[in-house]
Amino acid sequence: MAEDIAGRGDPVKSLQLMWGRMEAPRRGPKAKASVAELVAAAVSIADAEGLDAVSTRRVADAVGISPMSFYTHIPGKAELLDLMLDAVTGAGLTEIPEFEPEHWRRNLAFIAHEHRAFYMRHPWVLHLATHRPVLGPNTMMAAEIALRALEGLGLTDLEMDHAFTLITSYVHGAVRDAAREKMVKELTGMTDNEWWHRVAPFLETVDFSPYPVLSRVGAVAGETYGAHDPIGAFAFGLERVLDGLAVFIESKAAQKG
Amino acid sequence: MAEDIAGRGDPVKSLQLMWGRMEAPRRGPKAKASVAELVAAAVSIADAEGLDAVSTRRVADAVGISPMSFYTHIPGKAELLDLMLDAVTGAGLTEIPEFEPEHWRRNLAFIAHEHRAFYMRHPWVLHLATHRPVLGPNTMMAAEIALRALEGLGLTDLEMDHAFTLITSYVHGAVRDAAREKMVKELTGMTDNEWWHRVAPFLETVDFSPYPVLSRVGAVAGETYGAHDPIGAFAFGLERVLDGLAVFIESKAAQKG
DNA sequence: TTTAACTCTTTACATCGTACGGAGTTATGC
DNA sequence: GCATAACTCCGTACGATGTAAAGAGTTAAA
């Protein structure tokens, strides 16, 4: 399995494990390790060393069982990734905030920043290309919370869904850059700055005349030489997204009366 | 190498290959295969069967050389992925359009749809987690084109960069869903609909009362049972993003005079 | 003609996910 | 009490992957 993919295991098996719906075994020896332990170990490996480091052998070793015993508890790696995603989503959930619709803009900004912080804490989640939605209790609760921040704004259910998709899409896309920098530094020990200086001598030999706008904007934006400002870019984009939603919400309000 | 990562190889080697800057060999036998052939073969494998199917052995075989001869031409898989990304970006570029600032909204929508179409044609690109920017000629040209659509709107260079990040972030995030469905169907032969019906019996046993908004919105949005409408969601989000940019552009114009 | 540069290839190794079969452990049914 | 079924755990093994190492063959420069 070369690709790291969640949502690909036996759908029902994954769900049963995520919801703790396996009937308790009635015979046989007590298990040395639990599913929760395995998943927690996998998550902390991923947090510390990235998805690359998460192998079934390594996870089994971390909880003190032999490589193949992993499969006693979890059907395969695909299911492990499903479980990791739901578990780590759960760890980021606090109590459910009460959203007041009149502060919708602040609420949505809060949601967006929480999502961003989540990805920054667990950048490997960005590498988890989900093939199917992971319908775990925590993943669903995260969606529930985001949707609640969109309630009472005069949107139809379908529009709420689309607005939700808009915000999560933007955050996911925007956060790649910042999370990337963090991960790469940890994994390779090379900072963006060092990387740019490695590359610079070559870049000076290329003809930038076909790219006048890019070279002007790229230089100013500090994209070159690692002086890029991902937080500023994120904030800028988020304000635009919220402005766009404001236009829509106000036009719907005006239209209705 | 478990993760599929571009931008991780020797930075300068990748760049030299992308820009065709390897000095021509002056001795030795004629090469049976070229870098371009290898990259093209890798791309068509990825297009047909996904990133999973792209292995150095497979690519070498596709161009008729032995597994290890691959490394005569390309230093490693990381560099191959860099080259694939730039090559496939180049294949999507037509001639450079002339953008008129007064039609900026139409222009940006065009850019967004082009990006979306690109990802839909080559969904594996979404799984390519880039560790560093891939500074190939085609990748840079794609950025140049997008930035030109943002010229003449009264934005500073930094704002242009941020607006560019906003649009590409949104498109990247939003397209994951649609591309996912396409890929999964091809790779697993299971449609979303079948998947949902596999899962449905289990879902009926879970208590949705903690997720009132999600279950209401999810049902209406047709997320359940695969009746989801990704194109509609994309269009909705894009309109909001453009509205948000419009607010910003107009306020800057008003401010200036 | 020697030699250096270059291409191609064979063999080999570590690591991965996991199929298979069996040994040890516990509660149930007789 | 005992056989048995339901378990947990583990050792071995297979095929695939990326690629290191070392050598054989080919071409042009010295």
Side-chain angles (χ1 to χ4, degrees), chain A residues 12 23 32 47 49-50 72 109 143 147 162 242 245 248 251:
Chain A
V12 180
E23 62 238 33
K32 285 167 64 177
D47 282 343
E49 302 174 46
T72 303
L147 284 170
H162 286 171
L242 295 178
L245 281 172
F248 186 73
S251 92

Side-chain angles (χ1 to χ4, degrees), chain A residues 125-162:
Chain A
V125 172
L126 292 165
H127 288 345
L128 258 186
T130 55
H131 267 196
R132 311 276 187 198
V134 173
L135 298 172
N138 297 317
T139 314
M140 285 176 53
M141 184 51 80
E144 169 76 15
I145 291 175
L147 284 170
R148 282 191 196 176
L150 286 161
E151 280 255 272
L153 308 182
L155 303 182
T156 68
D157 287 343
L158 189 60
E159 287 161 353
M160 282 176 65
D161 182 63
H162 286 171

Side-chain angles (χ1 to χ4, degrees), chain B residues 59-80:
Chain B
V59 172
D61 189 65
V63 302
I65 60 180
S66 85
M68 284 308 290
S69 291
F70 173 92
Y71 293 94
T72 303
H73 305 280
I74 299 176
K77 186 160 184 185
E79 287 82 359
L80 173 66

Side-chain angles (χ1 to χ4, degrees), chain B residues 1-250:
Chain B
M1 194 164 54
E3 281 176 80
D4 299 307
I5 290 175
R8 181 156 92 168
D10 178 334
V12 179
K13 258 309 179 46
S14 282
L15 287 174
Q16 286 176 327
L17 288 166
M18 269 184 295
W19 290 85
R21 290 286 189 75
M22 303 301 288
E23 61 238 32
R26 294 198 307 269
R27 305 182 205 198
K30 250 190 296 187
K32 286 166 63 176
S34 67
V35 172
E37 279 176 280
L38 283 163
V39 172
V43 165
S44 71
I45 292 170
D47 282 344
E49 303 173 46
L51 263 192
D52 262 5
V54 178
S55 70
T56 57
R57 285 172 167 85
R58 177 86 186 272
V59 172
D61 189 65
V63 302
I65 60 180
S66 85
M68 284 308 290
S69 291
F70 173 92
Y71 293 94
T72 303
H73 305 280
I74 299 176
K77 186 160 184 185
E79 287 82 359
L80 173 66
L81 295 170
D82 281 0
L83 293 168
M84 287 172 69
L85 180 55
D86 196 65
V88 85
T89 301
L93 297 176
T94 53
E95 87 264 34
I96 305 172
E98 277 295 328
F99 294 122
E100 297 173 20
E102 60 263 38
H103 300 129
W104 67 266
R105 194 174 173 116
R106 185 194 308 164
N107 296 338
L108 291 182
F110 171 77
I111 293 289
H113 279 107
E114 287 282 300
H115 276 226
R116 187 186 128 90
F118 168 71
Y119 284 125
M120 293 298 285
R121 264 197 305 275
H122 310 289
W124 51 270
V125 173
L126 292 165
H127 289 343
L128 258 184
T130 55
H131 268 194
R132 313 275 186 197
V134 174
L135 299 172
N138 298 317
T139 314
M140 284 177 53
M141 185 50 81
E144 169 76 15
I145 291 174
L147 283 170
R148 283 191 196 176
L150 286 161
E151 281 254 273
L153 307 182
L155 302 182
T156 67
D157 287 343
L158 189 60
E159 286 161 353
M160 282 177 66
D161 181 63
H162 287 170
F164 170 65
T165 302
L166 165 60
I167 292 171
T168 56
S169 292
Y170 170 66
V171 173
H172 181 102
V175 102
R176 274 188 315 151
D177 224 38
R180 173 197 63 73
E181 181 163 357
K182 187 188 173 205
M183 266 190 71
V184 170
K185 204 177 301 175
E186 287 169 5
L187 294 180
T188 70
M190 201 197 294
T191 66
D192 279 9
N193 213 291
E194 289 168 321
W195 186 83
W196 280 104
H197 278 88
R198 281 279 297 281
V199 164
F202 180 87
L203 288 184
E204 276 165 26
T205 73
V206 331
D207 174 22
F208 278 99
S209 67
Y211 319 106
V213 185
L214 174 64
S215 47
R216 194 192 74 225
V217 171
V220 170
E223 227 123 5
T224 347
Y225 301 94
H228 193 44
D229 170 27
I231 296 172
F234 179 80
F236 177 93
L238 181 58
E239 287 305 306
R240 282 340 113 221
V241 167
L242 295 178
D243 280 352
L245 281 172
V247 169
F248 186 74
I249 289 165
E250 282 157 21

